[in-house]
Coordinates of all heavy atoms in Angstrom, one line a residue:
M1 N 12.6 -24.0 -54.4 CA 11.9 -22.7 -54.3 C 12.0 -22.0 -55.7 O 11.0 -21.4 -56.0 CB 12.5 -21.9 -53.1 CG 11.9 -20.6 -53.1 SD 10.6 -20.6 -51.8 CE 10.8 -19.0 -51.0
A2 N 13.2 -21.8 -56.2 CA 13.3 -21.2 -57.4 C 12.5 -21.8 -58.6 O 12.0 -21.1 -59.3 CB 14.8 -21.0 -57.8
Q3 N 12.5 -23.1 -58.6 CA 11.7 -23.7 -59.6 C 10.1 -23.4 -59.6 O 9.4 -23.3 -60.4 CB 11.9 -25.3 -59.5 CG 13.4 -25.7 -59.9 CD 13.5 -27.2 -59.9 OE1 12.7 -27.9 -59.1 NE2 14.5 -27.7 -60.4
R4 N 9.8 -23.4 -58.2 CA 8.3 -23.1 -58.0 C 8.0 -21.6 -58.5 O 6.9 -21.5 -59.0 CB 8.0 -23.2 -56.5 CG 6.7 -23.6 -56.2 CD 6.3 -23.9 -54.8 NE 7.4 -23.5 -53.8 CZ 7.2 -23.6 -52.5 NH1 6.1 -24.2 -52.0 NH2 8.2 -23.2 -51.8
I5 N 8.8 -20.7 -58.2 CA 8.7 -19.4 -58.7 C 8.6 -19.3 -60.2 O 7.8 -18.6 -60.8 CB 9.8 -18.4 -58.1 CG1 9.5 -18.3 -56.7 CG2 9.8 -17.1 -58.8 CD1 10.7 -17.6 -55.9
K6 N 9.5 -20.0 -60.8 CA 9.6 -20.1 -62.2 C 8.4 -20.7 -63.0 O 7.9 -20.2 -63.9 CB 10.8 -20.8 -62.8 CG 12.1 -20.0 -62.6 CD 13.3 -20.8 -63.1 CE 14.5 -20.0 -63.0 NZ 15.8 -20.8 -63.5
K7 N 7.8 -21.7 -62.2 CA 6.6 -22.3 -62.7 C 5.4 -21.3 -62.6 O 4.7 -21.2 -63.5 CB 6.3 -23.6 -61.9 CG 5.1 -24.4 -62.3 CD 4.8 -25.6 -61.6 CE 3.7 -26.4 -62.0 NZ 3.4 -27.5 -61.3
K8 N 5.4 -20.6 -61.5 CA 4.2 -19.7 -61.3 C 4.5 -18.5 -62.4 O 3.4 -18.0 -62.9 CB 4.3 -19.0 -59.9 CG 3.7 -19.9 -58.9 CD 3.7 -19.2 -57.5 CE 3.1 -20.2 -56.4 NZ 2.9 -19.5 -55.2
Q9 N 5.7 -18.1 -62.6 CA 5.8 -17.0 -63.6 C 5.4 -17.5 -65.0 O 4.7 -16.8 -65.8 CB 7.3 -16.6 -63.7 CG 7.7 -15.8 -62.5 CD 9.2 -15.5 -62.5 OE1 9.9 -16.3 -63.2 NE2 9.6 -14.5 -61.8
R10 N 5.7 -18.7 -65.3 CA 5.3 -19.3 -66.6 C 3.8 -19.4 -66.7 O 3.3 -19.1 -67.8 CB 6.0 -20.7 -66.8 CG 5.7 -21.3 -68.1 CD 6.3 -20.6 -69.2 NE 5.9 -21.2 -70.4 CZ 5.6 -20.6 -71.6 NH1 5.7 -19.3 -71.7 NH2 5.3 -21.2 -72.7
L11 N 3.2 -19.8 -65.6 CA 1.8 -20.0 -65.7 C 1.0 -18.6 -65.8 O 0.1 -18.5 -66.6 CB 1.2 -20.6 -64.4 CG 1.4 -22.1 -64.2 CD1 1.0 -22.6 -62.8 CD2 0.8 -22.9 -65.2
A12 N 1.6 -17.5 -65.2 CA 1.1 -16.3 -65.3 C 1.3 -15.7 -66.8 O 0.4 -15.1 -67.4 CB 1.9 -15.2 -64.4
Q13 N 2.4 -16.0 -67.4 CA 2.7 -15.7 -68.8 C 1.6 -16.4 -69.8 O 1.1 -15.8 -70.7 CB 4.1 -16.0 -69.2 CG 5.0 -15.3 -68.6 CD 6.5 -15.7 -68.9 OE1 6.7 -16.8 -69.3 NE2 7.5 -14.8 -68.7
L14 N 1.3 -17.6 -69.6 CA 0.3 -18.3 -70.2 C -1.1 -17.8 -70.2 O -1.8 -17.6 -71.1 CB 0.3 -19.8 -70.0 CG 1.6 -20.7 -70.5 CD1 1.5 -22.0 -69.8 CD2 1.7 -20.7 -71.9
Q15 N -1.5 -17.4 -68.9 CA -2.7 -16.9 -68.5 C -2.8 -15.5 -69.3 O -3.9 -15.1 -69.9 CB -2.8 -16.7 -67.1 CG -4.2 -16.2 -66.7 CD -4.2 -16.3 -65.1 OE1 -3.3 -15.9 -64.5 NE2 -5.4 -16.7 -64.6
W16 N -1.8 -14.6 -69.3 CA -1.9 -13.3 -69.9 C -2.0 -13.4 -71.3 O -2.8 -12.7 -72.0 CB -0.6 -12.5 -69.5 CG -0.6 -11.1 -70.0 CD1 0.0 -10.6 -71.1 CD2 -1.3 -10.1 -69.5 NE1 -0.3 -9.4 -71.2 CE2 -1.1 -9.0 -70.3 CE3 -2.1 -9.9 -68.4 CZ2 -1.7 -7.7 -70.0 CZ3 -2.7 -8.6 -68.2 CH2 -2.5 -7.6 -69.0
A17 N -1.3 -14.4 -72.0 CA -1.4 -14.7 -73.5 C -2.8 -15.1 -73.8 O -3.4 -14.6 -74.9 CB -0.4 -15.7 -73.9
R18 N -3.5 -15.9 -73.0 CA -4.9 -16.2 -73.3 C -5.7 -15.0 -73.1 O -6.7 -14.8 -74.0 CB -5.4 -17.3 -72.3 CG -4.9 -18.7 -72.6 CD -5.6 -19.7 -71.8 NE -5.4 -19.5 -70.3 CZ -4.4 -20.2 -69.6 NH1 -3.6 -21.1 -70.3 NH2 -4.3 -20.0 -68.4
W19 N -5.6 -14.2 -72.1 CA -6.4 -13.0 -71.9 C -6.2 -12.0 -73.2 O -7.2 -11.4 -73.6 CB -6.0 -12.2 -70.7 CG -6.4 -13.0 -69.5 CD1 -7.2 -14.2 -69.3 CD2 -6.1 -12.7 -68.1 NE1 -7.3 -14.5 -68.0 CE2 -6.6 -13.6 -67.3 CE3 -5.3 -11.6 -67.6 CZ2 -6.4 -13.6 -65.9 CZ3 -5.2 -11.6 -66.3 CH2 -5.7 -12.5 -65.4
I20 N -5.0 -11.9 -73.6 CA -4.7 -10.9 -74.8 C -5.5 -11.5 -76.0 O -6.0 -10.6 -76.8 CB -3.3 -10.9 -75.1 CG1 -2.7 -10.0 -74.0 CG2 -3.0 -10.3 -76.4 CD1 -1.1 -9.9 -74.1
R21 N -5.4 -12.7 -76.3 CA -6.3 -13.3 -77.4 C -7.8 -13.1 -77.3 O -8.4 -12.8 -78.2 CB -5.9 -14.7 -77.7 CG -4.5 -14.9 -78.2 CD -4.3 -16.4 -78.8 NE -4.6 -17.4 -77.7 CZ -3.8 -17.8 -76.9 NH1 -2.5 -17.4 -76.7 NH2 -4.2 -18.8 -76.0
R22 N -8.3 -13.4 -76.1 CA -9.6 -13.4 -75.8 C -10.4 -12.0 -75.5 O -11.5 -11.9 -75.8 CB -10.0 -14.4 -74.6 CG -11.3 -14.8 -74.5 CD -11.5 -16.0 -73.7 NE -12.9 -16.4 -73.6 CZ -13.4 -17.2 -72.8 NH1 -12.6 -17.8 -71.9 NH2 -14.7 -17.4 -72.8
Y23 N -9.7 -11.2 -74.9 CA -10.3 -9.9 -74.3 C -9.7 -8.7 -74.9 O -9.4 -7.7 -74.0 CB -10.4 -9.9 -72.8 CG -11.0 -11.1 -72.2 CD1 -10.2 -12.0 -71.6 CD2 -12.3 -11.4 -72.3 CE1 -10.8 -13.2 -70.9 CE2 -12.9 -12.5 -71.7 CZ -12.1 -13.3 -71.0 OH -12.7 -14.4 -70.4
P24 N -9.2 -8.5 -76.1 CA -8.5 -7.2 -76.5 C -9.4 -6.0 -76.3 O -10.6 -6.1 -76.6 CB -8.2 -7.5 -77.9 CG -9.1 -8.5 -78.4 CD -9.4 -9.4 -77.2
G25 N -8.8 -4.9 -75.7 CA -9.6 -3.7 -75.5 C -10.6 -3.8 -74.4 O -11.5 -2.8 -74.3
R26 N -10.5 -4.7 -73.4 CA -11.5 -4.9 -72.4 C -10.8 -4.7 -71.0 O -9.7 -5.0 -70.9 CB -12.3 -6.3 -72.5 CG -13.0 -6.5 -73.8 CD -14.3 -5.8 -73.8 NE -15.2 -6.3 -74.9 CZ -15.5 -5.5 -75.8 NH1 -15.3 -4.2 -75.8 NH2 -16.3 -5.9 -76.7
Y27 N -11.7 -4.5 -70.0 CA -11.2 -4.5 -68.7 C -11.7 -5.8 -68.0 O -12.7 -6.2 -68.2 CB -11.8 -3.3 -68.0 CG -11.3 -1.9 -68.4 CD1 -11.9 -1.4 -69.5 CD2 -10.2 -1.4 -67.7 CE1 -11.3 -0.1 -70.0 CE2 -9.7 -0.1 -68.2 CZ -10.3 0.5 -69.3 OH -9.8 1.6 -69.7
L28 N -10.8 -6.5 -67.3 CA -11.0 -7.6 -66.5 C -11.1 -7.4 -65.1 O -10.2 -6.8 -64.6 CB -10.1 -8.7 -66.9 CG -9.7 -9.0 -68.3 CD1 -8.7 -10.2 -68.5 CD2 -11.0 -9.4 -69.1
A29 N -12.1 -8.0 -64.4 CA -12.0 -8.1 -62.9 C -11.6 -9.5 -62.6 O -12.3 -10.6 -63.0 CB -13.4 -7.8 -62.3
V30 N -10.5 -9.6 -61.9 CA -9.9 -11.0 -61.6 C -9.8 -11.2 -60.1 O -9.3 -10.3 -59.4 CB -8.5 -11.0 -62.3 CG1 -7.8 -12.4 -61.9 CG2 -8.6 -10.7 -63.7
V31 N -10.2 -12.3 -59.7 CA -10.0 -12.6 -58.3 C -9.4 -14.1 -58.3 O -9.8 -15.0 -58.9 CB -11.4 -12.8 -57.5 CG1 -11.2 -13.3 -56.1 CG2 -12.0 -11.4 -57.5
D32 N -8.4 -14.3 -57.5 CA -7.5 -15.5 -57.3 C -7.2 -16.1 -58.7 O -7.3 -17.3 -58.9 CB -8.4 -16.5 -56.5 CG -8.6 -16.1 -55.1 OD1 -7.8 -15.4 -54.6 OD2 -9.6 -16.6 -54.5
G33 N -6.8 -15.2 -59.7 CA -6.4 -15.7 -61.0 C -7.5 -16.1 -62.0 O -7.1 -16.5 -63.0
K34 N -8.7 -15.8 -61.5 CA -9.9 -16.2 -62.4 C -10.5 -14.9 -62.8 O -10.8 -14.0 -62.0 CB -10.8 -17.1 -61.7 CG -10.2 -18.5 -61.3 CD -11.2 -19.3 -60.5 CE -10.4 -20.6 -60.1 NZ -11.3 -21.3 -59.1
V35 N -11.0 -14.8 -64.1 CA -11.7 -13.7 -64.6 C -13.1 -13.9 -64.2 O -13.8 -14.9 -64.6 CB -11.6 -13.6 -66.2 CG1 -12.4 -12.6 -66.7 CG2 -10.1 -13.5 -66.6
L36 N -13.6 -13.0 -63.5 CA -15.0 -13.0 -63.0 C -15.9 -12.1 -63.7 O -17.1 -12.3 -63.7 CB -15.0 -12.8 -61.5 CG -14.4 -13.8 -60.6 CD1 -14.6 -13.4 -59.1 CD2 -14.8 -15.2 -60.9
A37 N -15.3 -11.0 -64.4 CA -16.2 -10.1 -65.2 C -15.4 -9.5 -66.1 O -14.2 -9.2 -66.0 CB -16.7 -9.1 -64.3
V38 N -16.0 -9.1 -67.3 CA -15.4 -8.3 -68.4 C -16.3 -7.2 -68.7 O -17.4 -7.3 -68.7 CB -15.2 -9.3 -69.7 CG1 -14.6 -8.5 -70.8 CG2 -14.5 -10.5 -69.3
G39 N -15.6 -6.0 -68.9 CA -16.4 -4.8 -69.3 C -15.7 -3.9 -70.2 O -14.4 -4.0 -70.4
R40 N -16.4 -2.9 -70.8 CA -15.7 -1.9 -71.6 C -15.1 -0.9 -70.7 O -14.3 -0.1 -71.4 CB -16.8 -1.3 -72.5 CG -17.3 -2.3 -73.7 CD -18.2 -1.6 -74.6 NE -18.6 -2.5 -75.6 CZ -17.9 -2.6 -76.7 NH1 -16.9 -2.0 -77.0 NH2 -18.4 -3.5 -77.6
S41 N -15.4 -0.7 -69.5 CA -14.8 0.1 -68.6 C -14.4 -0.5 -67.3 O -15.0 -1.6 -67.1 CB -15.6 1.4 -68.3 OG -16.7 1.0 -67.4
R42 N -13.5 -0.1 -66.5 CA -13.2 -0.7 -65.2 C -14.3 -0.7 -64.3 O -14.6 -1.6 -63.5 CB -11.9 -0.1 -64.6 CG -11.9 1.3 -64.3 CD -10.6 1.7 -63.8 NE -10.7 3.2 -63.7 CZ -9.8 4.0 -63.7 NH1 -8.5 3.6 -63.9 NH2 -9.9 5.3 -63.7
L43 N -15.1 0.5 -64.3 CA -16.3 0.5 -63.5 C -17.3 -0.5 -63.9 O -17.9 -1.2 -63.0 CB -17.0 2.0 -63.5 CG -18.1 2.1 -62.7 CD1 -17.8 2.0 -61.2 CD2 -18.7 3.6 -62.9
A44 N -17.5 -0.7 -65.2 CA -18.5 -1.7 -65.6 C -18.1 -3.2 -65.1 O -18.9 -3.9 -64.7 CB -18.6 -1.7 -67.2
A45 N -16.7 -3.5 -65.3 CA -16.3 -4.8 -64.9 C -16.4 -4.9 -63.4 O -16.9 -6.0 -62.9 CB -14.8 -5.0 -65.2
F46 N -16.1 -4.0 -62.6 CA -16.1 -4.1 -61.2 C -17.6 -4.1 -60.6 O -17.9 -5.0 -59.8 CB -15.5 -2.8 -60.5 CG -15.6 -2.9 -59.0 CD1 -14.8 -3.7 -58.3 CD2 -16.4 -2.0 -58.3 CE1 -14.7 -3.7 -57.0 CE2 -16.5 -2.1 -56.9 CZ -15.6 -3.0 -56.2
K47 N -18.6 -3.5 -61.2 CA -19.9 -3.5 -60.9 C -20.6 -4.8 -61.1 O -21.4 -5.3 -60.4 CB -20.8 -2.4 -61.5 CG -20.6 -1.1 -61.1 CD -21.5 -0.1 -61.6 CE -21.5 1.2 -60.9 NZ -22.6 2.2 -61.1
K48 N -20.1 -5.5 -62.0 CA -20.6 -6.9 -62.4 C -20.3 -7.9 -61.3 O -21.0 -8.8 -61.1 CB -20.0 -7.4 -63.7 CG -20.6 -6.7 -64.9 CD -20.0 -7.3 -66.2 CE -20.6 -6.6 -67.3 NZ -20.0 -7.1 -68.6
I49 N -19.3 -7.7 -60.5 CA -18.8 -8.6 -59.5 C -18.8 -8.1 -58.1 O -18.7 -8.8 -57.1 CB -17.4 -9.1 -59.8 CG1 -16.5 -8.0 -59.7 CG2 -17.3 -10.0 -61.0 CD1 -15.0 -8.5 -59.2
E50 N -19.2 -6.8 -58.0 CA -19.1 -6.1 -56.7 C -19.8 -6.9 -55.5 O -19.2 -7.0 -54.5 CB -19.8 -4.7 -56.9 CG -19.8 -3.9 -55.6 CD -20.2 -2.4 -55.9 OE1 -21.0 -2.3 -56.8 OE2 -19.9 -1.6 -55.2
K51 N -20.9 -7.5 -55.8 CA -21.7 -8.1 -54.7 C -21.5 -9.6 -54.6 O -21.9 -10.2 -53.7 CB -23.2 -7.8 -54.8 CG -23.5 -6.5 -54.7 CD -25.0 -6.1 -54.9 CE -25.2 -4.6 -54.8 NZ -26.5 -4.2 -55.1
K52 N -20.7 -10.1 -55.6 CA -20.4 -11.6 -55.7 C -19.1 -12.0 -55.0 O -19.0 -13.1 -54.6 CB -20.4 -12.0 -57.1 CG -21.6 -11.9 -57.9 CD -21.4 -12.1 -59.4 CE -22.6 -11.9 -60.2 NZ -22.4 -12.2 -61.6
V53 N -18.2 -11.0 -54.7 CA -16.9 -11.3 -54.1 C -17.0 -11.1 -52.7 O -17.4 -10.1 -52.2 CB -15.9 -10.6 -54.8 CG1 -14.5 -10.8 -54.2 CG2 -15.8 -10.7 -56.4
P54 N -16.5 -12.0 -51.9 CA -16.4 -11.9 -50.4 C -15.5 -10.7 -50.1 O -14.6 -10.3 -50.8 CB -15.6 -13.1 -49.9 CG -15.9 -14.1 -51.0 CD -15.9 -13.4 -52.3
Q55 N -15.8 -10.0 -49.1 CA -15.2 -8.7 -48.6 C -13.7 -8.9 -48.4 O -13.0 -7.9 -48.5 CB -15.9 -8.1 -47.4 CG -17.2 -7.6 -47.7 CD -18.0 -7.1 -46.5 OE1 -17.4 -7.2 -45.3 NE2 -19.2 -6.6 -46.7
N56 N -13.3 -10.0 -48.0 CA -11.8 -10.2 -47.7 C -11.0 -10.6 -48.9 O -9.8 -10.7 -48.9 CB -11.6 -11.4 -46.6 CG -12.1 -12.7 -47.2 OD1 -12.9 -12.7 -48.1 ND2 -11.7 -13.7 -46.6
K57 N -11.6 -10.6 -50.1 CA -10.9 -11.0 -51.4 C -10.4 -9.6 -52.1 O -11.3 -8.7 -52.0 CB -11.7 -11.8 -52.2 CG -12.0 -13.1 -51.8 CD -10.8 -14.0 -51.9 CE -11.1 -15.5 -51.6 NZ -10.0 -16.3 -51.8
E58 N -9.3 -9.6 -52.6 CA -9.0 -8.4 -53.5 C -9.3 -8.7 -54.9 O -9.2 -9.8 -55.5 CB -7.3 -8.2 -53.4 CG -7.1 -7.5 -52.1 CD -5.6 -7.0 -52.1 OE1 -4.9 -7.1 -53.0 OE2 -5.3 -6.4 -51.1
V59 N -9.7 -7.6 -55.5 CA -10.1 -7.7 -56.9 C -9.1 -7.0 -57.8 O -8.8 -5.7 -57.5 CB -11.5 -7.0 -57.2 CG1 -11.8 -7.0 -58.6 CG2 -12.6 -7.7 -56.3
G60 N -8.5 -7.7 -58.7 CA -7.5 -7.0 -59.7 C -8.3 -6.6 -60.9 O -9.0 -7.3 -61.5
L61 N -8.1 -5.3 -61.3 CA -8.6 -4.8 -62.4 C -7.6 -4.6 -63.5 O -6.6 -3.9 -63.3 CB -9.4 -3.4 -62.2 CG -10.6 -3.5 -61.3 CD1 -11.1 -2.1 -61.0 CD2 -11.7 -4.3 -61.9
F62 N -7.7 -5.2 -64.6 CA -6.7 -5.2 -65.7 C -7.3 -4.7 -66.9 O -8.5 -5.0 -67.3 CB -6.2 -6.6 -65.9 CG -5.4 -7.2 -64.8 CD1 -6.1 -7.9 -63.8 CD2 -4.1 -7.1 -64.6 CE1 -5.4 -8.5 -62.8 CE2 -3.3 -7.7 -63.6 CZ -4.1 -8.4 -62.6
Y63 N -6.5 -3.9 -67.6 CA -6.9 -3.5 -69.0 C -6.1 -4.4 -70.0 O -4.8 -4.5 -69.9 CB -6.6 -2.1 -69.3 CG -7.0 -1.8 -70.8 CD1 -8.2 -1.6 -71.2 CD2 -5.9 -1.5 -71.7 CE1 -8.5 -1.3 -72.6 CE2 -6.2 -1.2 -73.0 CZ -7.5 -1.0 -73.5 OH -7.8 -0.8 -74.7
I64 N -6.8 -5.1 -70.8 CA -6.1 -5.9 -71.9 C -6.0 -5.1 -73.1 O -7.0 -4.7 -73.7 CB -6.9 -7.2 -72.1 CG1 -7.1 -8.0 -70.8 CG2 -6.2 -8.1 -73.2 CD1 -5.9 -8.4 -70.1
P65 N -4.8 -4.9 -73.5 CA -4.6 -4.0 -74.7 C -5.0 -4.6 -76.0 O -5.1 -5.8 -76.2 CB -3.1 -3.7 -74.7 CG -2.6 -5.0 -74.1 CD -3.5 -5.4 -73.1
T66 N -5.3 -3.7 -76.9 CA -5.5 -4.1 -78.3 C -4.0 -4.4 -78.9 O -3.1 -4.0 -78.2 CB -6.2 -3.1 -79.1 OG1 -5.5 -1.8 -79.1 CG2 -7.7 -2.8 -78.7
P67 N -3.9 -4.9 -80.1 CA -2.6 -5.3 -80.5 C -1.6 -4.1 -80.6 O -0.4 -4.3 -80.6 CB -2.9 -5.9 -81.9 CG -4.3 -6.4 -81.8 CD -5.0 -5.5 -80.9
N68 N -2.0 -2.9 -80.7 CA -1.2 -1.7 -80.8 C -1.0 -1.0 -79.6 O -0.6 0.2 -79.5 CB -1.7 -0.8 -81.9 CG -3.1 -0.3 -81.7 OD1 -3.8 -0.8 -80.8 ND2 -3.4 0.7 -82.6
Q69 N -1.4 -1.5 -78.5 CA -1.2 -0.9 -77.1 C -0.3 -1.7 -76.3 O 0.0 -2.9 -76.4 CB -2.6 -0.7 -76.5 CG -3.6 0.2 -77.3 CD -4.9 0.2 -76.5 OE1 -5.4 -0.9 -76.0 NE2 -5.6 1.3 -76.6
Y70 N 0.0 -1.2 -75.1 CA 0.9 -1.8 -74.2 C 0.1 -2.2 -72.9 O -0.9 -1.6 -72.5 CB 2.1 -0.9 -73.6 CG 3.0 -0.5 -74.6 CD1 3.0 0.8 -75.2 CD2 4.0 -1.5 -75.1 CE1 3.9 1.1 -76.2 CE2 4.9 -1.1 -76.1 CZ 4.9 0.2 -76.7 OH 5.7 0.5 -77.7
P71 N 0.5 -3.4 -72.3 CA -0.4 -3.9 -71.1 C 0.0 -3.0 -69.9 O 1.0 -2.4 -69.8 CB 0.2 -5.2 -71.0 CG 1.4 -5.3 -71.5 CD 1.4 -4.3 -72.7
M72 N -1.1 -2.9 -69.1 CA -0.8 -2.1 -67.8 C -1.7 -2.7 -66.7 O -2.9 -3.0 -67.0 CB -1.1 -0.7 -68.0 CG -2.4 -0.3 -68.5 SD -2.5 1.5 -68.6 CE -4.1 1.6 -69.5
L73 N -1.3 -2.7 -65.5 CA -2.1 -3.1 -64.3 C -2.7 -1.8 -63.9 O -1.9 -0.7 -63.6 CB -1.1 -3.7 -63.3 CG -1.9 -3.8 -62.0 CD1 -3.0 -4.9 -62.0 CD2 -0.9 -4.3 -60.9
L74 N -4.0 -1.7 -63.8 CA -4.7 -0.5 -63.3 C -4.5 -0.4 -61.8 O -3.9 0.6 -61.3 CB -6.1 -0.5 -63.8 CG -6.4 -0.5 -65.2 CD1 -7.9 -0.7 -65.5 CD2 -5.8 0.7 -65.9
H75 N -5.1 -1.2 -61.1 CA -4.8 -1.2 -59.6 C -5.6 -2.5 -59.1 O -6.4 -3.0 -59.7 CB -5.3 0.0 -59.0 CG -6.7 0.4 -59.4 ND1 -7.9 -0.2 -58.7 CD2 -7.3 1.3 -60.3 CE1 -8.9 0.4 -59.3 NE2 -8.6 1.2 -60.2
A76 N -5.2 -2.8 -57.9 CA -5.9 -3.8 -57.2 C -6.6 -3.1 -55.9 O -6.1 -2.2 -55.4 CB -4.9 -4.8 -56.6
I77 N -7.8 -3.6 -55.7 CA -8.6 -3.0 -54.6 C -9.2 -4.0 -53.7 O -9.3 -5.1 -54.1 CB -9.7 -2.0 -55.2 CG1 -10.6 -2.8 -56.0 CG2 -9.0 -0.9 -55.9 CD1 -11.8 -2.1 -56.5
S78 N -9.6 -3.6 -52.6 CA -10.4 -4.4 -51.7 C -11.7 -3.9 -51.6 O -12.0 -2.7 -51.6 CB -9.8 -4.5 -50.3 OG -8.5 -5.0 -50.3
L79 N -12.7 -4.8 -51.6 CA -14.1 -4.4 -51.6 C -14.4 -3.7 -50.3 O -13.9 -4.2 -49.2 CB -15.0 -5.5 -51.8 CG -15.0 -6.1 -53.1 CD1 -15.9 -7.4 -53.2 CD2 -15.5 -5.2 -54.2
P80 N -15.2 -2.6 -50.3 CA -15.3 -1.9 -48.9 C -16.3 -2.7 -48.0 O -17.0 -3.5 -48.5 CB -16.1 -0.6 -49.4 CG -16.6 -0.8 -50.7 CD -15.7 -2.0 -51.4
R81 N -16.1 -2.6 -46.9 CA -16.8 -3.3 -45.9 C -18.1 -2.5 -45.6 O -18.1 -1.3 -45.5 CB -16.0 -3.5 -44.5 CG -14.9 -4.3 -44.7 CD -14.4 -4.8 -43.3 NE -13.2 -5.7 -43.5 CZ -13.3 -7.0 -43.7 NH1 -14.4 -7.6 -43.7 NH2 -12.2 -7.7 -43.8
N82 N -19.2 -3.2 -45.4 CA -20.5 -2.5 -45.1 C -20.6 -2.2 -43.6 O -20.1 -2.8 -42.7 CB -21.7 -3.4 -45.5 CG -21.6 -3.5 -47.0 OD1 -21.2 -2.6 -47.7 ND2 -22.2 -4.7 -47.6

């Protein structure tokens, strides 16, 4: 169990490292660990995927810092039901 957790943590670290190199200063909309949209604002990133993601999936919105900023998780939301 502990090995599985460590493996997942390592994969998350590698993923974050790729995002930092590829998307500095951008907002990412992420579902199931996959980047589905990139935007200059969190609203722009969310609007790009709003209708593409099933209602039961949570969308993570992340800001990827530029080299002189700190990383932060903005929030995770669920798409509203119609």
Side-chain angles (χ1 to χ4, degrees):
M1 177 94 145
Q3 289 177 347
R4 210 171 14 175
I5 291 171
K6 286 182 182 181
K7 184 177 179 181
K8 284 184 178 184
Q9 288 174 337
R10 181 69 182 138
L11 290 173
Q13 289 172 346
L14 291 172
Q15 187 174 40
W16 186 257
R18 282 192 298 264
W19 292 351
I20 287 174
R21 284 192 309 274
R22 192 165 182 190
Y23 306 109
R26 300 279 191 242
Y27 292 83
L28 306 181
V30 179
V31 176
D32 293 335
K34 296 178 184 170
V35 176
L36 297 184
V38 180
R40 291 189 180 266
S41 71
R42 61 184 171 205
L43 182 60
F46 181 76
K47 281 189 172 192
K48 288 179 182 180
I49 62 152
E50 185 174 20
K51 295 178 182 169
K52 297 178 186 176
V53 177
Q55 293 178 355
N56 63 342
K57 294 284 187 175
E58 285 195 357
V59 177
L61 294 175
F62 296 88
Y63 176 72
I64 304 302
T66 58
N68 59 349
Q69 295 173 327
Y70 293 106
M72 62 179 168
L73 169 65
L74 295 177
H75 53 81
I77 59 172
S78 294
L79 293 173
R81 297 196 179 272
N82 292 332

